[in-house]
Amino acid sequence: MMLIPCPWCGPREEAEFHYGGQAHVSYPADPAALSDADWARYLFFRDNPKGPFAERWNHSASCRRWFNVIRDTVTNEILAVYPAGQPKPVIA
Amino acid sequence: MAEQTLLRQSPLAFAADRLAEVTRATGGAVYIAELPFLTQLNLRLDPKGPAAEAGALELGVPLPTGPGAATSGPAGSDELTVVWLGPDEWLVIGPPGTESDLAARLRSAIGDEHAAVVDVSAQRTTLELSGPRARDLLASGCALDLHPRVFGEGASAQTLLARAQVILVGRRDGAFRVLVRASFAAYLVDWLIDASVEYRVTR
Amino acid sequence: MSQEFRTTSGGRIDRDQAVRFRFGGRDYEGYAGDTLASALLANGVIQTSTSIKLGRPRGIFAAGVEEPNALVQVEEPFPEPMLTATTVELYDGLVARGLPGQGRLANEPDPARYDAMHAHCDVLVVGAGPAGLAAASVAAASGARVVLVDDQPEPGGSLLGTRETGALDWAASVAADLRANPEVRLLTRTTAFGYYDDNYVIAVERRTNHLGAAAPAHLSRERIWRIRARHVVLATGAHERSLAFDGNDLPGVMLAGAARTYVNRYGVRPGRRAVVFTTNDSAYAAAADLLDAGVEIAAIVDARPDANPQWRGVEVLAGHTIARARGEDRVAAVVLDDGREFAADLLLVSAGWNPAGALYSQVGGRLRFDADLGAFRPDGCRQAVEVAGAANGTYPVVGCLAEGTAAGQKAAEATGFTAGQVRPLPTIDERPATPPVHLWALPGDEATQFVDLQRDVTVADIRRATGAGMRSVEHVKRYTTAGTAHDQGKTSGTLTSGVVAHLLGVDVGDLGTTTFRPPYAPVSFAALAGRDRGALHDPVRVTALHSWHEAHGALFENVGQWKRPWYYPQAGEDLHAAVRRECRAVREGVGMMDASTLGKIDVQGPDAAVLLDRLYTNLISTLKVGAIRYGVMCRADGMVFDDGTVIRLASDRFLVTTTTGNAAAVLDWMEDFLQTEWPDLRVRCTSVTEQWATVALVGPRSREVLGALAPHLPVDNADFPFMTWRDTSVAGLPARVCRISFSGELAYELNVSWWDALALWEAVYAAGEPFGITTYGTETMHVLRAEKGYPIIGQDTDGTVTPQDLGMDWVVSKKKPDFVGKRSFARAENARPDRKHLVGLLPDDGATLLPEGAHLVEMETLPEPPVPMLGHVTSSYHSAALGRPFALALIRGGRDRMGERVYAPLGEALVPVTITSPVLYDPEGTRRDG
């Protein structure tokens, strides 16, 4: 059971959160302008790295805020937590 | 209006006897009772905007600015409590029957600012939990640190208790308020009563 | 009962308190403070069972949780399988038997309670031996919140098996200090069995097991502790190991340290005459204590060539090893490598110690082979954790105390505390150790040299694995099952690595060890389930009308976590009869239903209409205040996600309803877009699902009932048209009435505060009585909506269905530049003519009720598989209105197949059915306005 540091409520049990998949996959500004291939890439393609991964979490059992986390998928170490909409921090 | 409110039925009206029995069976180690029909307004506004100031002024209670906090005032039967729910969301808790008036006052104070005042008084019911083993009772189903130094009077949290989402508010003298969705109230009470078996006094 | 192997005095047992128990059908006596194993040994019983694969006699081998052999089935007071005799505390009335492997679970429900508790601390110390006590003592003195867990009934750890009275007194005093400290929780009989991310440790406390039938019923028998610690100190000790030689599985072969524990802690001599075989110093302490207790030591076989040839008058055979243990069902003699033979009923073995690194490894800590130690020891972990004492490979008690103290201090300081004054540590007279040698397998018959006693894995088995090409211990483990028994290789794991290395001629350190996974020790499912079972297994959500439904005989259907009335059978009615009656009442008169479970979301703000336009497929912004619109939401992939009604309360305020199961998901969906994609939109969403209770009033006579309840409300079709709402008073209660229909009939939804629901319901019931009002449940609702071809999202759809597939082009806006899902409708996949469409089905015989989920095929006789499938039945009911059964189905190109016959294979038969429009009842919509 990971302890996820909600930027608002502080560290809480993983069970209070919903996972939101890869972060920084924005809803395209003009979907109609995308080719079928690009739209399919937006819909269906996500990274699956071994190591640091920027992902979305929602503190669904409490403040209901979405935020981003960089988590090492090998160790579950959380390397950064930052609000939705902010650029991905550089992890050394 | 008086007649109508007499017909109201709280989600845990049926459980009052069983809850009273808990106090008896545990020799007062655990006290659980429903506080029905408390006024509850969900307030959503920009915490830095003029609406926040106007709302707080109208309530006479500051809006808690950070997580884990609840502000109250003035003590007594008119007491209002404001619980932090999210960075732009609060729950205003007041005495039963004041929801329309309080909502109207808040809306008028906030004026044209972008804010939402939603009456959710019937959405949740409230349990008052106290007694020397109340903290242990909660710790059997709540993952938060409830140590008195960490979660005392004026502390609050939205979290999970057993498998129900609740709002937990620390009160005076080691008491707690547990606000639970009406549809989950019967489950939660069954769970609490079952948890209290541990503290039964045996003769 | 003689207990002839009991010493005359000493031990931590209570000789004044005799305990009667039964094992393997025979009655015995032991003392309070015994384990089942020590009590059996006191009675001369060493063999507990036979082995699982080979049926060889097996005996008590260890004295604690590491025991590989002595599995028992407890039969009374309550059946419990696969416990180890070494960890079952003796109590009066215990009935048990030895197990060759698996046991049996009880057939009757366990009457005991099991529960869980969350705990938080600055410092968690696992293990209350010298290192753990020292650590806890220092941390507690600093003012830190401390939790100390230990699996034994009393603190002391390895000291309990010694005669170190000074150290034992110190341990008792420290334990008393800890118990007196309000910020310390000392949990005995508690095994930490799982160590997870962010210093989350799960332990099981055996609270009343040791009381047997005398356990108080109201106390939980076992408790799961979920401990979140800021810093952890692992002082989990070490397990002694044996090595592979011929006959090393015979009862009477015992770990030397275990024998020492039996004699010191339990006052039991595990045999009369022992041979001691060792590779290190520790077995000498065991030999000394056994000798003093009256056990004859025939010889000490010390594999180290430079060992002193005499020890306390006992011959030490330096540089020698064992060739085999000989005997039928117990050791009778021990044969040395030079052929010499010693008669003995006990062979004490010590081939070194393995630091108990399981918890450390579980959470990702590395274990590195230490060549001097001859074992794997902790070597780095990203958790905030210290390892102290034997768990760290430090075996002398003085060293354990020092390391424990340092670890406690470090943990306290790391969590912001300053170490305080603690009790002076005891002084212990320990001779400096002489280095051990490390042996894994001795020459001999590999088929009788056991590596894993519980799994019956021999050196020969491991040779088969390496012979098959396996080079990794993880592979060998899975191939041979070594280390996979209840004991998870506590005594065999390192030995397996050693034997594999020996056979392959490689270094053990290069080979490594297997990764440990929870649980460290077996845990009962009852404990893990705790109180989350039976009625409390999952929350049951009920509406404000639940007790009314119950009192009026409703049967319930689970919809998500909700209990919804399914139907209200009258005397003698089955589902079919009740639903036919309910349907007829609604179609011909008036019915009422509890619709409170629908999700409800208050959406307000200047941009509320913009948000809803982007999330619904149809146009919402054109909706007039006072009006209602049905809407569909899709995911970005264009598949239907939810549907419901949108009520416009004001220019900047809407009330949105969702399906029962999707209330939270839809709110999350809205918040997701508002918070992450369109933070510029000024919209606030608030769940009001349980603020409003909803009663559906449905049927041609519903207007009359409403009129009676709300005399001031104009209810004519012109005054209160379809898809509008009114805030009014119904039965004197403030109410919002919506003219919505999910049945095709004239209908209203009456919304009141949740706490007014019962008052409203009873008023409607009473007002409807002259009209024969009938309560109905979800089954009737489903029939009525299906007759109209209204899909249920999640029943008639499955995440692969678009609005167009449902025949709902009309709900997809052509005007809006974009909405979530729109772009996907232009994908080639969505234009395929053979997509599955929602259609109606009429069984040709007018009688067969198709099962939901039934497949549909094109051909009259089934070809060889694979059979091409056309689709499947999604909803199927008897229809009172149609006088026949009907179904909804998703069928490839279904809309282009109207009137075609397809087949549903049911058992041996193929049932012919005809494809029709999904709207089978009142296709003109004439009934809507009454």
Side-chain angles (χ1 to χ4, degrees), chain B residues 64-112:
Chain B
T65 51
T71 49
S72 286
S77 59
D78 294 337
E79 185 184 48
L80 290 180
T81 300
V82 186
V83 179
W84 186 95
L85 298 182
D88 65 353
E89 187 169 7
W90 295 264
L91 188 71
V92 181
I93 306 172
T98 60
E99 59 270 9
S100 306
D101 174 53
L102 194 60
R105 277 170 47 206
L106 268 173
R107 278 198 200 97
S108 135
I110 291 165
D112 289 336

Short mmCIF file of all heavy atoms in Angstrom, two decimals, chain B residues 64-112:
data_model
loop_
_atom_site.label_atom_id
_atom_site.label_comp_id
_atom_site.label_asym_id
_atom_site.label_seq_id
_atom_site.Cartn_x
_atom_site.Cartn_y
_atom_site.Cartn_z
N PRO B 64 -11.58 27.57 6.66
CA PRO B 64 -10.25 27.00 6.85
C PRO B 64 -9.50 26.99 5.52
O PRO B 64 -10.07 26.63 4.49
CB PRO B 64 -10.51 25.58 7.36
CG PRO B 64 -11.95 25.31 7.10
CD PRO B 64 -12.65 26.62 6.99
N THR B 65 -8.25 27.42 5.57
CA THR B 65 -7.52 27.59 4.30
C THR B 65 -6.74 26.36 3.92
O THR B 65 -6.29 26.24 2.79
CB THR B 65 -6.56 28.78 4.42
OG1 THR B 65 -5.79 28.60 5.60
CG2 THR B 65 -7.31 30.09 4.50
N GLY B 66 -6.55 25.47 4.85
CA GLY B 66 -5.73 24.31 4.51
C GLY B 66 -6.45 23.01 4.78
O GLY B 66 -7.51 23.01 5.43
N PRO B 67 -5.90 21.93 4.28
CA PRO B 67 -6.52 20.62 4.49
C PRO B 67 -6.45 20.22 5.95
O PRO B 67 -5.64 20.74 6.72
CB PRO B 67 -5.65 19.69 3.65
CG PRO B 67 -4.34 20.40 3.53
CD PRO B 67 -4.66 21.86 3.53
N GLY B 68 -7.31 19.32 6.33
CA GLY B 68 -7.26 18.77 7.67
C GLY B 68 -7.78 19.71 8.73
O GLY B 68 -7.56 19.49 9.91
N ALA B 69 -8.47 20.77 8.31
CA ALA B 69 -8.91 21.73 9.31
C ALA B 69 -10.42 21.93 9.26
O ALA B 69 -11.06 21.76 8.24
CB ALA B 69 -8.22 23.07 9.10
N ALA B 70 -10.97 22.29 10.41
CA ALA B 70 -12.36 22.70 10.51
C ALA B 70 -12.40 23.87 11.46
O ALA B 70 -11.70 23.88 12.47
CB ALA B 70 -13.21 21.55 11.04
N THR B 71 -13.17 24.88 11.10
CA THR B 71 -13.31 26.02 12.00
C THR B 71 -14.72 26.03 12.55
O THR B 71 -15.66 25.61 11.87
CB THR B 71 -13.04 27.33 11.26
OG1 THR B 71 -13.80 27.34 10.05
CG2 THR B 71 -11.57 27.46 10.90
N SER B 72 -14.86 26.50 13.77
CA SER B 72 -16.18 26.51 14.40
C SER B 72 -16.42 27.83 15.11
O SER B 72 -15.48 28.52 15.48
CB SER B 72 -16.28 25.38 15.43
OG SER B 72 -16.42 24.15 14.79
N GLY B 73 -17.65 28.14 15.28
CA GLY B 73 -17.99 29.29 16.11
C GLY B 73 -19.43 29.68 15.89
O GLY B 73 -19.99 29.36 14.87
N PRO B 74 -20.10 30.33 16.74
CA PRO B 74 -19.78 30.38 18.17
C PRO B 74 -20.28 29.10 18.82
O PRO B 74 -21.21 28.48 18.30
CB PRO B 74 -20.59 31.58 18.63
CG PRO B 74 -21.78 31.61 17.70
CD PRO B 74 -21.31 31.04 16.38
N ALA B 75 -19.70 28.73 19.96
CA ALA B 75 -20.14 27.50 20.63
C ALA B 75 -21.59 27.65 21.06
O ALA B 75 -22.05 28.75 21.34
CB ALA B 75 -19.25 27.22 21.84
N GLY B 76 -22.31 26.57 21.11
CA GLY B 76 -23.71 26.62 21.52
C GLY B 76 -24.60 26.06 20.44
O GLY B 76 -24.14 25.46 19.48
N SER B 77 -25.89 26.30 20.60
CA SER B 77 -26.83 25.63 19.70
C SER B 77 -26.81 26.24 18.30
O SER B 77 -27.30 25.65 17.36
CB SER B 77 -28.24 25.71 20.30
OG SER B 77 -28.58 27.07 20.47
N ASP B 78 -26.25 27.45 18.17
CA ASP B 78 -26.18 28.07 16.84
C ASP B 78 -24.85 27.80 16.16
O ASP B 78 -24.55 28.38 15.12
CB ASP B 78 -26.36 29.59 16.96
CG ASP B 78 -27.75 29.94 17.44
OD1 ASP B 78 -28.65 29.09 17.25
OD2 ASP B 78 -27.93 31.01 18.03
N GLU B 79 -24.05 26.93 16.74
CA GLU B 79 -22.69 26.74 16.25
C GLU B 79 -22.64 26.37 14.78
O GLU B 79 -23.41 25.54 14.29
CB GLU B 79 -21.99 25.63 17.06
CG GLU B 79 -20.54 25.47 16.69
CD GLU B 79 -19.88 24.31 17.43
OE1 GLU B 79 -20.46 23.21 17.45
OE2 GLU B 79 -18.78 24.52 17.98
N LEU B 80 -21.74 27.04 14.07
CA LEU B 80 -21.47 26.70 12.68
C LEU B 80 -20.08 26.08 12.62
O LEU B 80 -19.17 26.54 13.31
CB LEU B 80 -21.49 27.95 11.80
CG LEU B 80 -22.82 28.64 11.55
CD1 LEU B 80 -22.61 29.85 10.65
CD2 LEU B 80 -23.81 27.68 10.90
N THR B 81 -19.92 25.07 11.81
CA THR B 81 -18.61 24.48 11.59
C THR B 81 -18.35 24.48 10.09
O THR B 81 -19.23 24.12 9.31
CB THR B 81 -18.56 23.03 12.13
OG1 THR B 81 -18.83 23.07 13.53
CG2 THR B 81 -17.19 22.40 11.91
N VAL B 82 -17.17 24.91 9.71
CA VAL B 82 -16.81 24.90 8.30
C VAL B 82 -15.66 23.91 8.11
O VAL B 82 -14.61 24.06 8.73
CB VAL B 82 -16.40 26.29 7.81
CG1 VAL B 82 -16.18 26.27 6.29
CG2 VAL B 82 -17.46 27.32 8.18
N VAL B 83 -15.89 22.91 7.29
CA VAL B 83 -14.90 21.85 7.07
C VAL B 83 -14.27 22.03 5.70
O VAL B 83 -14.99 22.23 4.71
CB VAL B 83 -15.58 20.46 7.16
CG1 VAL B 83 -14.57 19.36 6.91
CG2 VAL B 83 -16.25 20.28 8.51
N TRP B 84 -12.96 21.96 5.66
CA TRP B 84 -12.24 22.03 4.38
C TRP B 84 -12.43 20.72 3.64
O TRP B 84 -12.15 19.65 4.17
CB TRP B 84 -10.75 22.25 4.66
CG TRP B 84 -9.89 22.48 3.46
CD1 TRP B 84 -9.52 23.67 2.93
CD2 TRP B 84 -9.24 21.49 2.64
NE1 TRP B 84 -8.69 23.49 1.84
CE2 TRP B 84 -8.51 22.16 1.63
CE3 TRP B 84 -9.22 20.08 2.65
CZ2 TRP B 84 -7.77 21.49 0.66
CZ3 TRP B 84 -8.49 19.41 1.68
CH2 TRP B 84 -7.77 20.11 0.70
N LEU B 85 -12.95 20.79 2.42
CA LEU B 85 -13.14 19.56 1.63
C LEU B 85 -12.16 19.48 0.47
O LEU B 85 -11.82 18.40 0.01
CB LEU B 85 -14.56 19.49 1.07
CG LEU B 85 -15.73 19.42 2.06
CD1 LEU B 85 -17.04 19.30 1.30
CD2 LEU B 85 -15.57 18.25 3.02
N GLY B 86 -11.75 20.63 -0.01
CA GLY B 86 -10.85 20.69 -1.15
C GLY B 86 -10.38 22.11 -1.29
O GLY B 86 -10.85 23.00 -0.56
N PRO B 87 -9.46 22.35 -2.21
CA PRO B 87 -8.88 23.70 -2.30
C PRO B 87 -9.91 24.78 -2.63
O PRO B 87 -9.65 25.95 -2.36
CB PRO B 87 -7.84 23.56 -3.40
CG PRO B 87 -8.14 22.27 -4.09
CD PRO B 87 -8.83 21.40 -3.12
N ASP B 88 -11.05 24.41 -3.20
CA ASP B 88 -12.08 25.42 -3.45
C ASP B 88 -13.44 24.92 -2.95
O ASP B 88 -14.47 25.27 -3.50
CB ASP B 88 -12.13 25.76 -4.94
CG ASP B 88 -12.58 24.58 -5.78
OD1 ASP B 88 -12.72 23.46 -5.21
OD2 ASP B 88 -12.77 24.73 -7.00
N GLU B 89 -13.41 24.07 -1.93
CA GLU B 89 -14.65 23.43 -1.51
C GLU B 89 -14.71 23.29 0.00
O GLU B 89 -13.74 22.87 0.64
CB GLU B 89 -14.75 22.05 -2.17
CG GLU B 89 -16.08 21.36 -1.95
CD GLU B 89 -16.27 20.11 -2.83
OE1 GLU B 89 -15.30 19.73 -3.51
OE2 GLU B 89 -17.36 19.55 -2.81
N TRP B 90 -15.85 23.66 0.58
CA TRP B 90 -16.05 23.55 2.02
C TRP B 90 -17.44 22.98 2.29
O TRP B 90 -18.33 23.05 1.44
CB TRP B 90 -15.97 24.92 2.70
CG TRP B 90 -14.63 25.56 2.61
CD1 TRP B 90 -13.64 25.53 3.54
CD2 TRP B 90 -14.12 26.35 1.52
NE1 TRP B 90 -12.54 26.22 3.10
CE2 TRP B 90 -12.80 26.74 1.87
CE3 TRP B 90 -14.62 26.75 0.28
CZ2 TRP B 90 -11.99 27.51 1.03
CZ3 TRP B 90 -13.82 27.51 -0.56
CH2 TRP B 90 -12.52 27.89 -0.18
N LEU B 91 -17.58 22.44 3.49
CA LEU B 91 -18.90 22.05 3.96
C LEU B 91 -19.23 22.91 5.17
O LEU B 91 -18.49 22.93 6.15
CB LEU B 91 -18.93 20.57 4.34
CG LEU B 91 -20.33 20.04 4.66
CD1 LEU B 91 -21.17 19.95 3.39
CD2 LEU B 91 -20.25 18.67 5.34
N VAL B 92 -20.32 23.64 5.07
CA VAL B 92 -20.77 24.47 6.18
C VAL B 92 -21.83 23.68 6.94
O VAL B 92 -22.84 23.27 6.37
CB VAL B 92 -21.37 25.80 5.67
CG1 VAL B 92 -21.81 26.66 6.86
CG2 VAL B 92 -20.36 26.54 4.81
N ILE B 93 -21.58 23.43 8.21
CA ILE B 93 -22.49 22.62 9.02
C ILE B 93 -23.14 23.52 10.07
O ILE B 93 -22.44 24.26 10.77
CB ILE B 93 -21.73 21.48 9.73
CG1 ILE B 93 -20.94 20.65 8.71
CG2 ILE B 93 -22.70 20.59 10.49
CD1 ILE B 93 -20.01 19.62 9.33
N GLY B 94 -24.45 23.45 10.14
CA GLY B 94 -25.16 24.29 11.10
C GLY B 94 -26.29 23.53 11.74
O GLY B 94 -26.52 22.35 11.46
N PRO B 95 -27.03 24.20 12.62
CA PRO B 95 -28.14 23.53 13.31
C PRO B 95 -29.26 23.13 12.34
O PRO B 95 -29.40 23.74 11.28
CB PRO B 95 -28.64 24.58 14.31
CG PRO B 95 -27.93 25.84 14.02
CD PRO B 95 -26.85 25.60 13.04
N PRO B 96 -30.03 22.12 12.72
CA PRO B 96 -31.11 21.66 11.85
C PRO B 96 -32.08 22.78 11.49
O PRO B 96 -32.33 23.68 12.31
CB PRO B 96 -31.82 20.59 12.69
CG PRO B 96 -30.81 20.15 13.69
CD PRO B 96 -29.94 21.34 13.96
N GLY B 97 -32.58 22.72 10.27
CA GLY B 97 -33.65 23.63 9.87
C GLY B 97 -33.19 24.98 9.37
O GLY B 97 -34.02 25.81 8.99
N THR B 98 -31.89 25.23 9.36
CA THR B 98 -31.42 26.55 8.96
C THR B 98 -30.91 26.59 7.53
O THR B 98 -30.38 27.60 7.09
CB THR B 98 -30.29 27.02 9.90
OG1 THR B 98 -29.19 26.10 9.81
CG2 THR B 98 -30.74 27.08 11.34
N GLU B 99 -31.08 25.49 6.79
CA GLU B 99 -30.42 25.40 5.49
C GLU B 99 -30.88 26.47 4.50
O GLU B 99 -30.06 27.08 3.81
CB GLU B 99 -30.54 23.99 4.89
CG GLU B 99 -31.95 23.47 4.66
CD GLU B 99 -32.52 22.71 5.86
OE1 GLU B 99 -31.89 22.73 6.93
OE2 GLU B 99 -33.59 22.11 5.72
N SER B 100 -32.19 26.69 4.44
CA SER B 100 -32.69 27.65 3.43
C SER B 100 -32.20 29.05 3.74
O SER B 100 -31.69 29.77 2.87
CB SER B 100 -34.21 27.66 3.40
OG SER B 100 -34.69 26.37 3.22
N ASP B 101 -32.32 29.39 5.00
CA ASP B 101 -31.94 30.73 5.43
C ASP B 101 -30.44 30.96 5.23
O ASP B 101 -30.01 31.96 4.66
CB ASP B 101 -32.32 30.88 6.91
CG ASP B 101 -31.83 32.20 7.47
OD1 ASP B 101 -32.15 33.23 6.86
OD2 ASP B 101 -31.12 32.18 8.50
N LEU B 102 -29.65 29.98 5.65
CA LEU B 102 -28.20 30.12 5.57
C LEU B 102 -27.76 30.17 4.10
O LEU B 102 -26.89 30.98 3.73
CB LEU B 102 -27.54 28.95 6.30
CG LEU B 102 -26.06 29.08 6.61
CD1 LEU B 102 -25.80 30.29 7.50
CD2 LEU B 102 -25.55 27.82 7.31
N ALA B 103 -28.37 29.34 3.28
CA ALA B 103 -28.00 29.33 1.86
C ALA B 103 -28.34 30.67 1.23
O ALA B 103 -27.55 31.23 0.46
CB ALA B 103 -28.73 28.19 1.14
N ALA B 104 -29.52 31.21 1.58
CA ALA B 104 -29.92 32.49 1.01
C ALA B 104 -28.97 33.60 1.46
O ALA B 104 -28.54 34.44 0.67
CB ALA B 104 -31.35 32.81 1.44
N ARG B 105 -28.60 33.58 2.74
CA ARG B 105 -27.68 34.59 3.25
C ARG B 105 -26.33 34.51 2.54
O ARG B 105 -25.76 35.53 2.15
CB ARG B 105 -27.46 34.38 4.76
CG ARG B 105 -28.55 35.00 5.64
CD ARG B 105 -28.43 34.56 7.09
NE ARG B 105 -27.07 34.67 7.60
CZ ARG B 105 -26.57 33.93 8.60
NH1 ARG B 105 -27.34 33.03 9.18
NH2 ARG B 105 -25.34 34.08 9.00
N LEU B 106 -25.85 33.28 2.36
CA LEU B 106 -24.55 33.12 1.71
C LEU B 106 -24.61 33.59 0.26
O LEU B 106 -23.73 34.33 -0.20
CB LEU B 106 -24.13 31.64 1.74
CG LEU B 106 -23.29 31.22 2.94
CD1 LEU B 106 -23.09 29.71 2.92
CD2 LEU B 106 -21.93 31.92 2.91
N ARG B 107 -25.65 33.20 -0.44
CA ARG B 107 -25.77 33.57 -1.85
C ARG B 107 -25.83 35.08 -1.99
O ARG B 107 -25.19 35.66 -2.87
CB ARG B 107 -27.02 32.93 -2.47
CG ARG B 107 -26.78 31.51 -2.89
CD ARG B 107 -27.80 30.98 -3.87
NE ARG B 107 -27.77 29.52 -3.83
CZ ARG B 107 -28.61 28.78 -3.12
NH1 ARG B 107 -29.58 29.34 -2.45
NH2 ARG B 107 -28.48 27.47 -3.12
N SER B 108 -26.58 35.69 -1.08
CA SER B 108 -26.72 37.13 -1.18
C SER B 108 -25.40 37.82 -0.84
O SER B 108 -25.00 38.80 -1.48
CB SER B 108 -27.89 37.57 -0.29
OG SER B 108 -27.56 38.68 0.45
N ALA B 109 -24.68 37.28 0.13
CA ALA B 109 -23.39 37.88 0.50
C ALA B 109 -22.39 37.75 -0.64
O ALA B 109 -21.59 38.65 -0.90
CB ALA B 109 -22.85 37.22 1.76
N ILE B 110 -22.44 36.63 -1.31
CA ILE B 110 -21.46 36.36 -2.36
C ILE B 110 -21.80 37.14 -3.63
O ILE B 110 -20.93 37.52 -4.40
CB ILE B 110 -21.38 34.84 -2.63
CG1 ILE B 110 -20.74 34.14 -1.43
CG2 ILE B 110 -20.58 34.54 -3.89
CD1 ILE B 110 -20.93 32.65 -1.41
N GLY B 111 -23.07 37.42 -3.81
CA GLY B 111 -23.51 38.23 -4.93
C GLY B 111 -23.24 37.57 -6.27
O GLY B 111 -23.53 36.39 -6.44
N ASP B 112 -22.63 38.30 -7.17
CA ASP B 112 -22.46 37.81 -8.54
C ASP B 112 -21.15 37.04 -8.73
O ASP B 112 -20.84 36.62 -9.83
CB ASP B 112 -22.50 38.98 -9.53
CG ASP B 112 -23.91 39.55 -9.62
OD1 ASP B 112 -24.85 38.79 -9.31
OD2 ASP B 112 -24.05 40.73 -9.99
#
